[in-house]
Amino acid sequence: MSGKRLSERVVVIRGAGEQASGIACRLYRANVRRILMLETEFPLAVRRLVSFCEAVHDGEMTVEGVTAVRADRVEDVAGMWIAGKIGVLVDPAAESLYTVRPDLLLDATLAKRNLGTSIGDAPLVVGLGPGFCAGVDCHLVVETNRGHDLGRVIGAGPAEADTGIPGAIGGYTSERVLRAPVAGRFENERAIGDLVQQGETVGRIGEVEVRATIDGVLRGMIRPGAVVKAGLKIGDVDPRGRKDYCVTVSEKARALGGAVLEALLDRYNC
């Protein structure tokens, strides 16, 4: 065990969507500041206002006062850390691991399957949710299914299987999720934070309307102009109607962030 302080530990997170970003915020506030997030070239986050992957498109993204900046080269990341920023690098294959050499690698792609993460990629490798088995392809797994075990750190074996059913909010599960009715290019007619009513048109894919399925606030929506497949999740209506929830980290992401911090402290704060 090296003598590095916790604040000097390097964390690499595969994925920079909603849950990964909530985790990054929690680590950052715990003084774990050397964070690099790896993303695809065109990430499609639904809850864009709380997702650091938006830095890939816009160059910079701030979530609850924490700022992430797009890095064009892995060599630029150290300077971002000195400036107090999180780095976001387009590197879906995680080739930068060989340069960055993280103390913790967190796979937070939430792909429901392992896209290439190995237990040998870092001294501590943590997998988020289904698709990982602690002791086989990672050291630890964090449970992501809502319920009694949400945020549980698993030391041996897999997380619960994917149910395919979104977590209930205000008594609604699948009803609150907007999905693409057809394949094509999405264009919005309403914005994140707007109050919408059931049946109201919120966007279009070509000539096909995308309609709200329940009343509530439009908590998330993918970027206008995105090319989508039929059935893809493209929006989220929150029946609680709280506009401030659109720009704040969810309770689920905070719970997962606490679990990852627990794993990090257990390994290195001794």
Short mmCIF file of all heavy atoms in Angstrom, two decimals, residues 79-120:
data_model
loop_
_atom_site.label_atom_id
_atom_site.label_comp_id
_atom_site.label_asym_id
_atom_site.label_seq_id
_atom_site.Cartn_x
_atom_site.Cartn_y
_atom_site.Cartn_z
N GLY A 79 -3.63 19.13 -15.90
CA GLY A 79 -3.86 20.57 -15.75
C GLY A 79 -5.28 20.89 -15.32
O GLY A 79 -5.51 21.85 -14.58
N MET A 80 -6.22 20.08 -15.77
CA MET A 80 -7.62 20.26 -15.35
C MET A 80 -7.78 19.97 -13.87
O MET A 80 -8.50 20.67 -13.16
CB MET A 80 -8.53 19.36 -16.18
CG MET A 80 -8.56 19.72 -17.65
SD MET A 80 -9.49 18.53 -18.63
CE MET A 80 -9.33 19.27 -20.26
N TRP A 81 -7.11 18.94 -13.39
CA TRP A 81 -7.17 18.62 -11.97
C TRP A 81 -6.59 19.74 -11.13
O TRP A 81 -7.14 20.11 -10.09
CB TRP A 81 -6.42 17.32 -11.69
CG TRP A 81 -7.06 16.10 -12.30
CD1 TRP A 81 -8.34 15.97 -12.70
CD2 TRP A 81 -6.42 14.84 -12.54
NE1 TRP A 81 -8.57 14.70 -13.20
CE2 TRP A 81 -7.40 13.99 -13.10
CE3 TRP A 81 -5.14 14.35 -12.35
CZ2 TRP A 81 -7.12 12.67 -13.47
CZ3 TRP A 81 -4.85 13.04 -12.71
CH2 TRP A 81 -5.84 12.21 -13.26
N ILE A 82 -5.49 20.32 -11.58
CA ILE A 82 -4.87 21.44 -10.86
C ILE A 82 -5.85 22.62 -10.77
O ILE A 82 -5.91 23.32 -9.77
CB ILE A 82 -3.56 21.86 -11.54
CG1 ILE A 82 -2.51 20.75 -11.38
CG2 ILE A 82 -3.04 23.18 -10.97
CD1 ILE A 82 -1.25 20.98 -12.18
N ALA A 83 -6.64 22.79 -11.84
CA ALA A 83 -7.62 23.88 -11.89
C ALA A 83 -8.91 23.54 -11.14
O ALA A 83 -9.85 24.34 -11.12
CB ALA A 83 -7.94 24.22 -13.35
N GLY A 84 -8.97 22.34 -10.55
CA GLY A 84 -10.15 21.95 -9.79
C GLY A 84 -11.30 21.44 -10.63
O GLY A 84 -12.46 21.46 -10.20
N LYS A 85 -10.99 20.96 -11.83
CA LYS A 85 -12.02 20.47 -12.75
C LYS A 85 -11.90 18.96 -12.94
O LYS A 85 -10.82 18.37 -12.81
CB LYS A 85 -11.86 21.16 -14.11
CG LYS A 85 -11.81 22.68 -14.06
CD LYS A 85 -13.13 23.29 -13.65
CE LYS A 85 -13.04 24.81 -13.55
NZ LYS A 85 -12.77 25.44 -14.86
N ILE A 86 -13.01 18.35 -13.27
CA ILE A 86 -13.05 16.94 -13.68
C ILE A 86 -12.77 16.88 -15.18
O ILE A 86 -13.24 17.72 -15.95
CB ILE A 86 -14.42 16.32 -13.36
CG1 ILE A 86 -14.61 16.19 -11.85
CG2 ILE A 86 -14.60 14.97 -14.05
CD1 ILE A 86 -15.99 15.75 -11.43
N GLY A 87 -12.00 15.90 -15.60
CA GLY A 87 -11.71 15.73 -17.03
C GLY A 87 -12.69 14.76 -17.67
O GLY A 87 -13.08 13.76 -17.07
N VAL A 88 -13.11 15.06 -18.89
CA VAL A 88 -13.96 14.16 -19.68
C VAL A 88 -13.25 13.92 -21.01
O VAL A 88 -12.96 14.86 -21.75
CB VAL A 88 -15.36 14.75 -19.93
CG1 VAL A 88 -16.20 13.78 -20.76
CG2 VAL A 88 -16.05 15.06 -18.62
N LEU A 89 -12.96 12.66 -21.30
CA LEU A 89 -12.18 12.30 -22.47
C LEU A 89 -12.98 11.33 -23.34
O LEU A 89 -13.58 10.38 -22.83
CB LEU A 89 -10.87 11.64 -22.04
CG LEU A 89 -9.90 11.19 -23.13
CD1 LEU A 89 -9.27 12.41 -23.82
CD2 LEU A 89 -8.80 10.31 -22.52
N VAL A 90 -13.00 11.58 -24.64
CA VAL A 90 -13.62 10.62 -25.56
C VAL A 90 -12.67 9.44 -25.71
O VAL A 90 -11.63 9.53 -26.34
CB VAL A 90 -13.91 11.27 -26.93
CG1 VAL A 90 -14.42 10.21 -27.92
CG2 VAL A 90 -14.94 12.39 -26.79
N ASP A 91 -13.04 8.34 -25.07
CA ASP A 91 -12.18 7.15 -25.04
C ASP A 91 -13.03 5.94 -24.64
O ASP A 91 -12.87 5.38 -23.55
CB ASP A 91 -11.03 7.37 -24.04
CG ASP A 91 -10.08 6.17 -23.96
OD1 ASP A 91 -10.08 5.35 -24.90
OD2 ASP A 91 -9.36 6.07 -22.95
N PRO A 92 -13.94 5.52 -25.50
CA PRO A 92 -14.85 4.42 -25.14
C PRO A 92 -14.14 3.10 -24.88
O PRO A 92 -14.66 2.26 -24.15
CB PRO A 92 -15.80 4.34 -26.34
CG PRO A 92 -15.07 4.98 -27.47
CD PRO A 92 -14.23 6.06 -26.84
N ALA A 93 -12.97 2.90 -25.46
CA ALA A 93 -12.22 1.67 -25.26
C ALA A 93 -11.30 1.72 -24.05
O ALA A 93 -10.62 0.74 -23.74
CB ALA A 93 -11.41 1.34 -26.51
N ALA A 94 -11.29 2.85 -23.35
CA ALA A 94 -10.48 3.04 -22.14
C ALA A 94 -8.99 2.82 -22.40
O ALA A 94 -8.27 2.29 -21.55
CB ALA A 94 -10.97 2.12 -21.02
N GLU A 95 -8.50 3.25 -23.55
CA GLU A 95 -7.08 3.10 -23.86
C GLU A 95 -6.21 3.99 -22.98
O GLU A 95 -5.03 3.72 -22.79
CB GLU A 95 -6.86 3.44 -25.34
CG GLU A 95 -7.54 2.45 -26.29
CD GLU A 95 -7.38 2.84 -27.74
OE1 GLU A 95 -6.87 3.95 -28.00
OE2 GLU A 95 -7.78 2.05 -28.61
N SER A 96 -6.79 5.05 -22.41
CA SER A 96 -6.03 5.98 -21.58
C SER A 96 -5.64 5.39 -20.23
O SER A 96 -4.81 5.96 -19.52
CB SER A 96 -6.86 7.25 -21.34
OG SER A 96 -8.10 6.94 -20.73
N LEU A 97 -6.19 4.24 -19.87
CA LEU A 97 -5.84 3.62 -18.59
C LEU A 97 -4.35 3.37 -18.48
O LEU A 97 -3.77 3.48 -17.40
CB LEU A 97 -6.59 2.30 -18.41
CG LEU A 97 -8.11 2.36 -18.19
CD1 LEU A 97 -8.67 0.96 -18.05
CD2 LEU A 97 -8.43 3.19 -16.96
N TYR A 98 -3.72 3.03 -19.58
CA TYR A 98 -2.30 2.72 -19.56
C TYR A 98 -1.44 3.94 -19.24
O TYR A 98 -0.34 3.82 -18.72
CB TYR A 98 -1.88 2.12 -20.90
CG TYR A 98 -2.66 0.88 -21.26
CD1 TYR A 98 -3.69 0.93 -22.18
CD2 TYR A 98 -2.38 -0.34 -20.64
CE1 TYR A 98 -4.43 -0.22 -22.51
CE2 TYR A 98 -3.10 -1.48 -20.95
CZ TYR A 98 -4.12 -1.42 -21.89
OH TYR A 98 -4.85 -2.53 -22.19
N THR A 99 -1.98 5.13 -19.54
CA THR A 99 -1.28 6.37 -19.24
C THR A 99 -1.65 6.90 -17.86
O THR A 99 -0.78 7.32 -17.09
CB THR A 99 -1.61 7.44 -20.30
OG1 THR A 99 -1.23 6.96 -21.59
CG2 THR A 99 -0.90 8.75 -20.01
N VAL A 100 -2.93 6.87 -17.53
CA VAL A 100 -3.42 7.48 -16.29
C VAL A 100 -3.11 6.61 -15.07
O VAL A 100 -2.83 7.12 -13.99
CB VAL A 100 -4.93 7.74 -16.39
CG1 VAL A 100 -5.47 8.35 -15.10
CG2 VAL A 100 -5.24 8.65 -17.57
N ARG A 101 -3.18 5.29 -15.22
CA ARG A 101 -2.90 4.34 -14.15
C ARG A 101 -3.70 4.68 -12.88
O ARG A 101 -3.15 5.06 -11.85
CB ARG A 101 -1.40 4.29 -13.84
CG ARG A 101 -0.56 3.86 -15.03
CD ARG A 101 0.93 3.90 -14.73
NE ARG A 101 1.29 2.96 -13.69
CZ ARG A 101 1.53 1.66 -13.89
NH1 ARG A 101 1.45 1.16 -15.11
NH2 ARG A 101 1.85 0.86 -12.88
N PRO A 102 -5.03 4.52 -12.93
CA PRO A 102 -5.88 4.92 -11.81
C PRO A 102 -5.73 4.00 -10.60
O PRO A 102 -5.38 2.83 -10.72
CB PRO A 102 -7.28 4.82 -12.39
CG PRO A 102 -7.18 3.74 -13.43
CD PRO A 102 -5.81 3.95 -14.05
N ASP A 103 -6.05 4.55 -9.43
CA ASP A 103 -6.15 3.76 -8.22
C ASP A 103 -7.51 3.05 -8.17
O ASP A 103 -7.62 1.96 -7.60
CB ASP A 103 -6.00 4.65 -6.99
CG ASP A 103 -4.64 5.32 -6.93
OD1 ASP A 103 -3.65 4.61 -6.64
OD2 ASP A 103 -4.55 6.52 -7.22
N LEU A 104 -8.53 3.68 -8.74
CA LEU A 104 -9.87 3.11 -8.82
C LEU A 104 -10.40 3.26 -10.23
O LEU A 104 -10.38 4.37 -10.79
CB LEU A 104 -10.82 3.82 -7.85
CG LEU A 104 -12.33 3.60 -8.09
CD1 LEU A 104 -12.72 2.14 -7.88
CD2 LEU A 104 -13.16 4.50 -7.18
N LEU A 105 -10.86 2.17 -10.81
CA LEU A 105 -11.59 2.21 -12.07
C LEU A 105 -13.02 1.82 -11.77
O LEU A 105 -13.29 0.74 -11.25
CB LEU A 105 -10.99 1.24 -13.10
CG LEU A 105 -11.84 1.07 -14.38
CD1 LEU A 105 -11.93 2.38 -15.16
CD2 LEU A 105 -11.28 -0.04 -15.26
N LEU A 106 -13.95 2.71 -12.10
CA LEU A 106 -15.37 2.45 -11.93
C LEU A 106 -16.01 2.33 -13.30
O LEU A 106 -15.93 3.26 -14.10
CB LEU A 106 -16.03 3.58 -11.14
CG LEU A 106 -17.56 3.55 -11.09
CD1 LEU A 106 -18.06 2.33 -10.32
CD2 LEU A 106 -18.12 4.84 -10.51
N ASP A 107 -16.63 1.19 -13.59
CA ASP A 107 -17.40 1.06 -14.82
C ASP A 107 -18.84 1.44 -14.53
O ASP A 107 -19.58 0.70 -13.89
CB ASP A 107 -17.33 -0.37 -15.36
CG ASP A 107 -17.86 -0.46 -16.80
OD1 ASP A 107 -18.90 0.18 -17.07
OD2 ASP A 107 -17.24 -1.14 -17.63
N ALA A 108 -19.22 2.63 -14.97
CA ALA A 108 -20.57 3.16 -14.74
C ALA A 108 -21.29 3.39 -16.06
O ALA A 108 -22.12 4.31 -16.17
CB ALA A 108 -20.48 4.46 -13.94
N THR A 109 -20.98 2.56 -17.05
CA THR A 109 -21.66 2.70 -18.35
C THR A 109 -23.10 2.23 -18.27
O THR A 109 -23.92 2.61 -19.12
CB THR A 109 -20.93 1.88 -19.42
OG1 THR A 109 -20.81 0.52 -18.99
CG2 THR A 109 -19.53 2.45 -19.67
N LEU A 110 -23.44 1.39 -17.29
CA LEU A 110 -24.80 0.87 -17.12
C LEU A 110 -25.32 0.23 -18.39
O LEU A 110 -26.47 0.40 -18.77
CB LEU A 110 -25.74 1.99 -16.64
CG LEU A 110 -25.42 2.55 -15.25
CD1 LEU A 110 -26.32 3.72 -14.92
CD2 LEU A 110 -25.54 1.47 -14.19
N ALA A 111 -24.45 -0.51 -19.04
CA ALA A 111 -24.81 -1.18 -20.29
C ALA A 111 -25.50 -2.52 -20.07
O ALA A 111 -25.88 -3.18 -21.02
CB ALA A 111 -23.55 -1.38 -21.14
N LYS A 112 -25.65 -2.93 -18.82
CA LYS A 112 -26.24 -4.22 -18.44
C LYS A 112 -25.36 -5.40 -18.84
O LYS A 112 -25.76 -6.56 -18.73
CB LYS A 112 -27.65 -4.41 -19.04
CG LYS A 112 -28.55 -3.19 -18.97
CD LYS A 112 -28.77 -2.73 -17.54
CE LYS A 112 -29.76 -1.55 -17.53
NZ LYS A 112 -29.87 -0.94 -16.19
N ARG A 113 -24.16 -5.12 -19.33
CA ARG A 113 -23.20 -6.15 -19.67
C ARG A 113 -21.81 -5.51 -19.63
O ARG A 113 -21.67 -4.29 -19.73
CB ARG A 113 -23.46 -6.76 -21.05
CG ARG A 113 -23.45 -5.76 -22.18
CD ARG A 113 -24.03 -6.35 -23.46
NE ARG A 113 -24.07 -5.38 -24.55
CZ ARG A 113 -23.14 -5.23 -25.46
NH1 ARG A 113 -22.05 -6.01 -25.42
NH2 ARG A 113 -23.25 -4.34 -26.42
N ASN A 114 -20.80 -6.34 -19.48
CA ASN A 114 -19.44 -5.85 -19.42
C ASN A 114 -18.92 -5.58 -20.82
O ASN A 114 -18.88 -6.48 -21.66
CB ASN A 114 -18.55 -6.88 -18.72
CG ASN A 114 -17.15 -6.36 -18.43
OD1 ASN A 114 -16.69 -5.41 -19.04
ND2 ASN A 114 -16.48 -6.98 -17.48
N LEU A 115 -18.51 -4.34 -21.08
CA LEU A 115 -18.04 -3.94 -22.40
C LEU A 115 -16.52 -3.98 -22.51
O LEU A 115 -15.97 -3.41 -23.45
CB LEU A 115 -18.55 -2.53 -22.73
CG LEU A 115 -20.07 -2.38 -22.79
CD1 LEU A 115 -20.45 -0.93 -23.09
CD2 LEU A 115 -20.67 -3.32 -23.83
N GLY A 116 -15.86 -4.65 -21.56
CA GLY A 116 -14.42 -4.79 -21.69
C GLY A 116 -13.62 -4.50 -20.44
O GLY A 116 -12.39 -4.56 -20.47
N THR A 117 -14.28 -4.19 -19.33
CA THR A 117 -13.57 -3.92 -18.10
C THR A 117 -13.03 -5.22 -17.51
O THR A 117 -13.73 -6.24 -17.47
CB THR A 117 -14.50 -3.23 -17.08
OG1 THR A 117 -14.81 -1.91 -17.57
CG2 THR A 117 -13.85 -3.11 -15.72
N SER A 118 -11.78 -5.16 -17.01
CA SER A 118 -11.13 -6.35 -16.45
C SER A 118 -10.67 -6.06 -15.03
O SER A 118 -10.33 -4.92 -14.68
CB SER A 118 -9.92 -6.74 -17.32
OG SER A 118 -9.11 -7.70 -16.66
N ILE A 119 -10.63 -7.09 -14.21
CA ILE A 119 -10.21 -6.95 -12.82
C ILE A 119 -8.75 -6.51 -12.71
O ILE A 119 -8.32 -5.97 -11.69
CB ILE A 119 -10.44 -8.27 -12.05
CG1 ILE A 119 -10.41 -8.05 -10.54
CG2 ILE A 119 -9.43 -9.34 -12.48
CD1 ILE A 119 -10.87 -9.24 -9.74
N GLY A 120 -7.98 -6.66 -13.76
CA GLY A 120 -6.58 -6.24 -13.75
C GLY A 120 -6.35 -4.82 -14.24
O GLY A 120 -5.21 -4.36 -14.32
#
